[in-house]
Coordinates of all heavy atoms in Angstrom, one line a residue:
D58 N -16.7 -6.1 -5.4 CA -15.8 -7.2 -5.5 C -15.9 -8.0 -4.2 O -15.5 -7.5 -3.1 CB -14.4 -6.7 -5.7 CG -13.4 -7.8 -6.0 OD1 -13.8 -9.0 -5.8 OD2 -12.3 -7.5 -6.5
Y62 N -9.8 -12.9 -3.0 CA -8.6 -12.0 -2.9 C -9.1 -10.6 -2.3 O -8.3 -10.0 -1.6 CB -8.0 -11.8 -4.3 CG -6.8 -10.9 -4.3 CD1 -5.6 -11.4 -3.9 CD2 -6.9 -9.5 -4.6 CE1 -4.4 -10.6 -3.8 CE2 -5.7 -8.7 -4.5 CZ -4.5 -9.3 -4.2 OH -3.4 -8.5 -4.1
A63 N -10.3 -10.2 -2.7 CA -10.8 -8.9 -2.1 C -10.9 -9.0 -0.6 O -10.6 -8.0 0.1 CB -12.1 -8.6 -2.7
S65 N -9.1 -11.1 1.4 CA -7.7 -11.1 1.9 C -7.1 -9.7 1.8 O -6.4 -9.3 2.8 CB -6.9 -12.1 1.1 OG -7.4 -13.4 1.2
Y66 N -7.4 -9.0 0.7 CA -6.8 -7.7 0.6 C -7.3 -6.7 1.6 O -6.6 -5.9 2.2 CB -7.2 -7.2 -0.8 CG -6.7 -5.8 -1.2 CD1 -5.4 -5.5 -1.6 CD2 -7.6 -4.7 -1.1 CE1 -5.0 -4.2 -1.9 CE2 -7.2 -3.4 -1.4 CZ -5.9 -3.2 -1.8 OH -5.5 -1.9 -2.1
S67 N -8.6 -6.8 1.9 CA -9.2 -5.9 2.9 C -8.7 -6.2 4.3 O -8.7 -5.3 5.2 CB -10.7 -6.0 2.9 OG -11.2 -7.3 3.3
E70 N -4.1 -9.7 4.4 CA -3.5 -11.0 4.4 C -3.1 -11.4 2.9 O -3.8 -10.9 2.0 CB -4.5 -12.0 5.0 CG -4.8 -11.8 6.4 CD -5.8 -12.8 6.9 OE1 -6.3 -13.6 6.1 OE2 -6.1 -12.7 8.1
W73 N -2.9 -14.0 -3.1 CA -2.7 -13.9 -4.5 C -2.7 -15.3 -5.1 O -3.4 -15.6 -6.1 CB -1.3 -13.2 -4.8 CG -1.0 -13.1 -6.3 CD1 -1.5 -12.2 -7.1 CD2 -0.2 -14.0 -7.0 NE1 -0.9 -12.4 -8.4 CE2 -0.2 -13.5 -8.3 CE3 0.5 -15.2 -6.7 CZ2 0.6 -14.1 -9.4 CZ3 1.2 -15.8 -7.7 CH2 1.3 -15.3 -9.0
M76 N -6.2 -16.9 -5.1 CA -7.0 -16.3 -6.1 C -6.7 -16.8 -7.5 O -7.6 -17.0 -8.3 CB -6.9 -14.7 -6.1 CG -7.8 -14.0 -7.0 SD -9.6 -14.3 -6.5 CE -10.4 -13.7 -8.0
S96 N -14.8 -3.4 -11.0 CA -13.4 -3.3 -10.7 C -13.2 -2.6 -9.3 O -14.0 -1.7 -8.9 CB -12.7 -2.4 -11.8 OG -11.4 -2.1 -11.5
S97 N -12.2 -3.1 -8.6 CA -11.9 -2.6 -7.3 C -10.5 -2.4 -7.1 O -9.6 -2.8 -7.9 CB -12.5 -3.6 -6.2 OG -11.7 -4.8 -6.4
A98 N -10.1 -1.8 -5.9 CA -8.7 -1.7 -5.6 C -8.0 -3.0 -5.5 O -6.8 -3.2 -5.8 CB -8.6 -0.9 -4.3
A99 N -8.7 -4.0 -4.9 CA -8.2 -5.3 -4.8 C -7.9 -5.9 -6.2 O -6.8 -6.5 -6.4 CB -9.1 -6.2 -4.0
A100 N -8.8 -5.8 -7.1 CA -8.6 -6.4 -8.5 C -7.5 -5.7 -9.2 O -6.7 -6.3 -9.8 CB -9.9 -6.2 -9.3
R101 N -7.4 -4.4 -9.0 CA -6.3 -3.7 -9.7 C -4.9 -4.0 -9.1 O -3.9 -4.1 -9.8 CB -6.5 -2.1 -9.6 CG -7.7 -1.7 -10.4 CD -7.7 -0.1 -10.5 NE -8.2 0.4 -9.2 CZ -9.4 0.6 -8.8 NH1 -10.4 0.3 -9.7 NH2 -9.8 1.1 -7.7
T102 N -4.9 -4.3 -7.7 CA -3.7 -4.7 -7.1 C -3.3 -6.1 -7.5 O -2.1 -6.3 -7.8 CB -3.9 -4.7 -5.6 OG1 -4.2 -3.3 -5.1 CG2 -2.6 -5.1 -4.9
F103 N -4.2 -7.0 -7.7 CA -4.0 -8.3 -8.1 C -3.4 -8.3 -9.6 O -2.4 -8.9 -9.9 CB -5.2 -9.1 -8.1 CG -5.1 -10.5 -8.7 CD1 -4.7 -11.6 -7.9 CD2 -5.3 -10.8 -10.0 CE1 -4.5 -12.9 -8.4 CE2 -5.1 -12.1 -10.5 CZ -4.7 -13.1 -9.7
A104 N -4.0 -7.5 -10.4 CA -3.5 -7.4 -11.8 C -2.1 -6.7 -11.8 O -1.3 -7.1 -12.7 CB -4.5 -6.5 -12.6
L105 N -1.8 -5.8 -11.0 CA -0.5 -5.2 -10.9 C 0.6 -6.1 -10.5 O 1.6 -6.2 -11.1 CB -0.5 -4.0 -10.0 CG 0.8 -3.3 -9.7 CD1 1.4 -2.7 -11.0 CD2 0.7 -2.2 -8.7
H106 N 0.3 -6.9 -9.4 CA 1.3 -7.9 -9.0 C 1.5 -9.0 -10.1 O 2.7 -9.4 -10.3 CB 0.7 -8.6 -7.7 CG 0.8 -7.6 -6.5 ND1 0.2 -8.0 -5.3 CD2 1.3 -6.4 -6.3 CE1 0.4 -7.0 -4.4 NE2 1.0 -6.0 -5.1
T107 N 0.4 -9.4 -10.7 CA 0.6 -10.4 -11.8 C 1.4 -9.8 -12.9 O 2.3 -10.5 -13.5 CB -0.8 -10.9 -12.2 OG1 -1.6 -11.3 -11.1 CG2 -0.6 -12.1 -13.2
S108 N 1.1 -8.6 -13.3 CA 1.8 -7.9 -14.4 C 3.3 -7.8 -14.1 O 4.1 -7.9 -15.0 CB 1.2 -6.6 -14.7 OG -0.2 -6.7 -15.1
L109 N 3.6 -7.5 -12.8 CA 5.0 -7.4 -12.5 C 5.8 -8.7 -12.7 O 6.9 -8.7 -13.2 CB 5.2 -6.9 -11.0 CG 4.8 -5.5 -10.8 CD1 4.8 -5.2 -9.3 CD2 5.7 -4.5 -11.5
W110 N 5.1 -9.8 -12.3 CA 5.7 -11.1 -12.6 C 5.8 -11.4 -14.1 O 6.9 -11.9 -14.5 CB 4.8 -12.2 -11.9 CG 5.1 -12.4 -10.5 CD1 4.2 -12.0 -9.5 CD2 6.2 -12.9 -9.8 NE1 4.8 -12.3 -8.2 CE2 6.0 -12.9 -8.4 CE3 7.4 -13.5 -10.3 CZ2 6.9 -13.3 -7.5 CZ3 8.4 -13.9 -9.4 CH2 8.1 -13.9 -8.0
R195 N -4.9 -4.2 -21.1 CA -6.0 -4.3 -20.2 C -7.1 -3.2 -20.4 O -8.3 -3.5 -20.3 CB -5.5 -4.3 -18.7 CG -4.8 -5.6 -18.3 CD -4.8 -5.7 -16.8 NE -4.5 -4.5 -16.1 CZ -3.2 -4.1 -15.7 NH1 -2.2 -5.0 -16.0 NH2 -3.0 -3.0 -15.1
A218 N -14.0 -6.4 -13.2 CA -13.1 -7.1 -12.3 C -12.6 -8.4 -12.9 O -11.5 -8.8 -12.7 CB -13.9 -7.3 -11.0
L221 N -9.5 -8.1 -15.0 CA -8.3 -7.9 -14.1 C -7.8 -9.2 -13.5 O -6.6 -9.5 -13.5 CB -8.5 -6.9 -13.1 CG -8.8 -5.4 -13.5 CD1 -9.2 -4.5 -12.4 CD2 -7.6 -4.9 -14.2
Y222 N -8.8 -10.0 -13.1 CA -8.5 -11.3 -12.4 C -8.1 -12.3 -13.5 O -7.4 -13.3 -13.1 CB -9.6 -11.8 -11.6 CG -9.8 -11.0 -10.3 CD1 -11.0 -10.4 -10.0 CD2 -8.8 -11.0 -9.4 CE1 -11.2 -9.7 -8.8 CE2 -8.9 -10.3 -8.2 CZ -10.1 -9.7 -7.9 OH -10.3 -9.0 -6.7
T224 N -5.8 -12.1 -15.5 CA -4.4 -12.1 -15.6 C -3.8 -13.3 -14.9 O -2.6 -13.6 -15.1 CB -3.8 -10.8 -15.1 OG1 -4.2 -10.6 -13.7 CG2 -4.2 -9.6 -15.9

Side-chain angles (χ1 to χ4, degrees):
D58 187 349
Y62 184 80
S65 300
Y66 178 81
S67 64
E70 298 179 355
W73 181 83
M76 186 61 195
S96 175
S97 65
R101 290 188 290 271
T102 301
F103 178 87
L105 175 61
H106 290 172
T107 309
S108 297
L109 289 173
W110 280 109
R195 286 203 314 270
L221 295 173
Y222 286 124
T224 55

